[in-house]
Amino acid sequence: MNRVDEQVDWFVGGSNFGGVTRVTWFVRAYGISLEPMATHRNNRSASWRAIAILSCMPFIAAAPVLYNFSTYFSSSGTTRTHEDEVYWVGSTYYYNLAFVQRDWKNPDWQLLPARENSPLGKYVMGAALQLNGRRIESLDLLGSFYLLFADTPGAWGSGDAYVKRDLVAQRVDPAIAATVRIEKTTPIQAEDLLVARQLMCILAMIAAMGIWFLCKDCGSPIGGLFAAFLFAWHPIVQLAYRTAMIDMVALCFSVLFVAAFMTLVGNASRTKVSQAITVAVTGVLLAMACGSKMNSLVVVGVAGVCAIFALLQSWRKRNDITRSKLERTRFLSMAAVFVVAFLFFVVTNPTLYVNTVDGLVALVREHRLTAEIQETFVGRQMRTASERWQVIQAQVGRTPMRLIAMQLSVAWQLVYCYRTRNPFIVVVLWWFVALTMLLAWMPFNWPRYSLPMVPPTVLLMGKTLSDLGRFAVLAVQRHQMKHVAVST
């Protein structure tokens, strides 16, 4: 049975009765007629019809994102600007510094905005601006962001923290600085903001497609559609792709990394060239995710647990030479992904050229110091896991019914994937790693901090909905066949 036939077999419930597969209840359940594929499985036109349906599904998965984005801005316009959008659009100055001026040794690489956030996500936004004939060529926007809070007590911290922010603010053109201080407005251009927001929409569409592909490769294309729709309509995700901030960049590359990673570990017997290419692509995707925002370390945790498991499996199966070699190959491939990701992360970040260790430490230290400063004027940080769990439930689950559905989906997929050895178990692991890391770290009750939980959650819920539908179809088919048998 080829891959297309396998997909057709899943679509129709995977059961033949008397040589004819019944799809009546499938059509009622999913609203898709696959009768020709079911009754003419060996017919070439049926195979092409299956390919056509599968080819359309990624675009169907992405469509809700585009719809939500376009309807939102057609009704509300683009005049409202979040303060953080000023920061992130302004941060594309480092794209200009790296790829337009090609000045990788400029002292500006040691300023606070460069040290507290890796530049890879900024490069993506900067490239989008340049493709549209736009560029941020000065520190006016970044400095304006700090000036917005200059009169807020404690917003710049004190001592060294104050000096770091003041160094950026001093680079703002005096006339612009005066306007920002007096009128509390920034020089961000509407065209730049529009391009950056459109980029977030495109990345969200790519992420939705990635979610579909990930679920499809685990044998559940319909579940992938459910998951993509849940993703597109989740309020936290909608906020991310409607605003020009880095969160959607990081989320998109995280989803793509997990999809590529599952492909890598799912087929360790490919050719050496193919394996090397897959390792390189997967490593770059991991670097892009973490280089956009450090909460993408969640997917590093997922890959790390899988690598440890592969190593343990290699040791457990040491008496089975073939199986041990396969697991060892998987482990080495995963280790190579980490090496590629680290090298790409370092090479593309000029901040690390002067002192690599100090620069890496700064990515964590500066965030912690900023959180301590923010606590003085935006509210207390969350200190306990129970506090964070309450917030995660409210932000990811949203309603009691959805929360129950989420928890049941996790439990069901954990049991089902373990018993059937389905590779979707990686998504279950993703959910638990994301939850564990957020319970240990999440500083404030801000929706964007819960984003890493959303992709695995919608994947689990989408596949569970698909599984329930498939089981219902099979149950009805069995009932029909029993009825036919009794009648005859």
Side-chain angles (χ1 to χ4, degrees):
M1 184 182 293
N2 60 35
R3 188 167 183 81
V4 171
D5 286 334
E6 289 176 359
Q7 295 293 347
V8 173
D9 196 46
W10 180 88
F11 272 127
V12 297
S15 300
N16 277 319
F17 298 101
V20 178
T21 307
R22 300 175 179 273
V23 296
T24 305
W25 286 97
F26 177 85
V27 174
R28 292 183 182 178
Y30 293 114
I32 300 174
S33 178
L34 297 169
E35 187 87 36
M37 283 187 282
T39 56
H40 306 287
R41 296 172 61 86
N42 297 320
N43 190 300
R44 181 172 296 180
S45 64
S47 294
W48 281 110
R49 200 170 289 114
I51 292 173
I53 290 176
L54 287 173
S55 299
C56 291
M57 280 190 173
F59 302 99
I60 297 173
V65 174
L66 181 61
Y67 171 79
N68 286 334
F69 182 85
S70 58
T71 54
Y72 175 78
F73 284 108
S74 63
S75 61
S76 64
T78 60
T79 55
R80 296 179 60 184
T81 304
H82 193 285
E83 294 89 346
D84 286 350
E85 291 182 292
V86 177
Y87 176 89
W88 288 112
V89 174
S91 292
T92 61
Y93 163 74
Y94 288 102
Y95 169 86
N96 183 74
L97 204 60
F99 297 104
V100 179
Q101 300 181 30
R102 297 178 184 175
D103 187 355
W104 294 63
K105 296 182 179 180
N106 194 295
D108 288 352
W109 288 107
Q110 300 306 316
L111 291 174
L112 178 61
R115 288 174 62 81
E116 69 179 350
N117 290 293
S118 182
L120 287 173
K122 304 168 189 175
Y123 294 162
V124 175
M125 294 179 69
L129 288 174
Q130 187 173 30
L131 286 173
N132 286 272
R134 312 288 303 178
R135 281 207 304 267
I136 303 299
E137 299 177 314
S138 71
L139 285 167
D140 285 342
L141 267 184
L142 272 174
S144 296
F145 169 78
Y146 291 113
L147 288 172
L148 284 173
F149 304 95
D151 298 328
T152 303
W156 283 15
S158 59
D160 188 45
Y162 185 95
V163 171
K164 291 175 183 177
R165 288 156 177 78
D166 188 51
L167 285 173
V168 184
Q170 288 178 11
R171 298 286 297 279
V172 181
D173 180 272
I176 294 175
T179 302
V180 174
R181 283 183 173 274
I182 296 171
E183 300 180 8
K184 298 299 179 183
T185 58
T186 63
I188 192 169
Q189 299 296 309
E191 294 85 353
D192 296 335
L193 193 59
L194 178 61
V195 169
R197 287 173 172 174
Q198 289 173 338
L199 171 66
M200 299 309 128
C201 175
I202 293 170
L203 291 174
M205 292 171 68
I206 294 172
M209 290 181 177
I211 285 172
W212 179 81
F213 275 108
L214 200 157
C215 213
K216 186 266 295 183
D217 284 345
C218 293
S220 184
I222 297 296
L225 286 182
F226 289 152
F229 293 166
L230 291 171
F231 176 81
W233 265 287
H234 198 287
I236 300 177
V237 177
Q238 287 183 328
L239 179 63
Y241 64 71
R242 289 171 180 171
T243 51
M245 293 189 276
I246 209 69
D247 302 281
M248 185 49 66
V249 183
L251 197 68
C252 176
F253 282 111
S254 294
V255 170
L256 295 180
F257 164 73
V258 174
F261 182 78
M262 290 180 67
T263 300
L264 177 71
V265 301
N267 186 4
S269 59
R270 57 168 61 89
T271 65
K272 291 183 178 179
V273 174
S274 176
Q275 188 78 350
I277 293 173
T278 307
V279 165
V281 171
T282 307
V284 170
L285 289 172
L286 178 58
M288 291 298 299
C290 296
S292 298
K293 196 165 185 180
M294 294 304 290
N295 62 6
S296 295
L297 286 171
V298 164
V299 293
V300 176
V302 175
V305 173
C306 289
I308 293 171
F309 179 78
L311 185 61
L312 292 175
Q313 283 290 90
S314 175
W315 182 81
R316 279 186 61 214
K317 304 293 183 179
R318 61 189 181 279
N319 294 327
D320 184 341
I321 298 176
T322 302
R323 182 65 185 274
S324 178
K325 182 179 179 181
L326 181 64
E327 294 297 340
R328 190 162 57 250
T329 301
R330 283 199 176 101
F331 171 75
L332 292 175
S333 297
M334 295 180 208
V337 166
F338 288 124
V339 172
V340 170
F342 180 76
L343 291 176
F344 190 83
F345 185 89
V346 172
V347 169
T348 56
N349 189 352
T351 303
L352 306 177
Y353 292 178
V354 176
N355 188 328
T356 302
V357 174
D358 180 68
L360 291 172
V361 171
L363 290 171
V364 178
R365 182 182 63 234
E366 294 297 347
H367 274 291
R368 179 174 56 80
L369 294 174
T370 298
E372 291 175 358
I373 293 171
Q374 290 172 327
E375 189 174 22
T376 63
F377 67 97
V378 299
R380 188 181 70 86
Q381 289 190 65
M382 293 184 289
R383 303 292 184 186
T384 66
S386 61
E387 284 182 284
R388 292 165 181 149
W389 172 237
Q390 293 297 323
V391 169
I392 292 170
Q393 288 184 97
Q395 293 180 353
V396 179
R398 306 298 296 178
T399 65
M401 288 300 297
R402 290 180 186 175
L403 182 61
I404 293 171
M406 177 183 75
Q407 294 170 339
L408 290 176
S409 297
V410 173
W412 162 250
Q413 292 301 330
L414 178 62
V415 174
Y416 179 74
C417 293
Y418 178 77
R419 293 182 63 183
T420 60
R421 297 296 188 266
N422 193 305
F424 200 73
I425 193 71
V426 174
V427 176
V428 181
L429 174 64
W430 186 5
W431 189 89
F432 278 107
V433 170
L435 177 62
T436 301
M437 294 182 74
L438 289 183
L439 289 177
W441 161 80
M442 191 175 179
F444 295 105
N445 183 2
W446 294 347
R448 63 175 179 263
Y449 285 135
S450 296
L451 267 176
M453 282 287 297
V454 176
T457 298
V458 297
L459 278 163
L460 291 167
M461 294 178 69
K463 188 172 182 299
T464 300
L465 285 172
S466 176
D467 289 346
L468 292 174
R470 180 163 57 89
F471 293 148
V473 169
L474 291 174
V476 171
Q477 287 178 341
R478 292 191 186 98
H479 177 73
Q480 285 183 332
M481 294 310 299
K482 288 180 180 179
H483 181 72
V484 170
V486 171
S487 300
T488 57

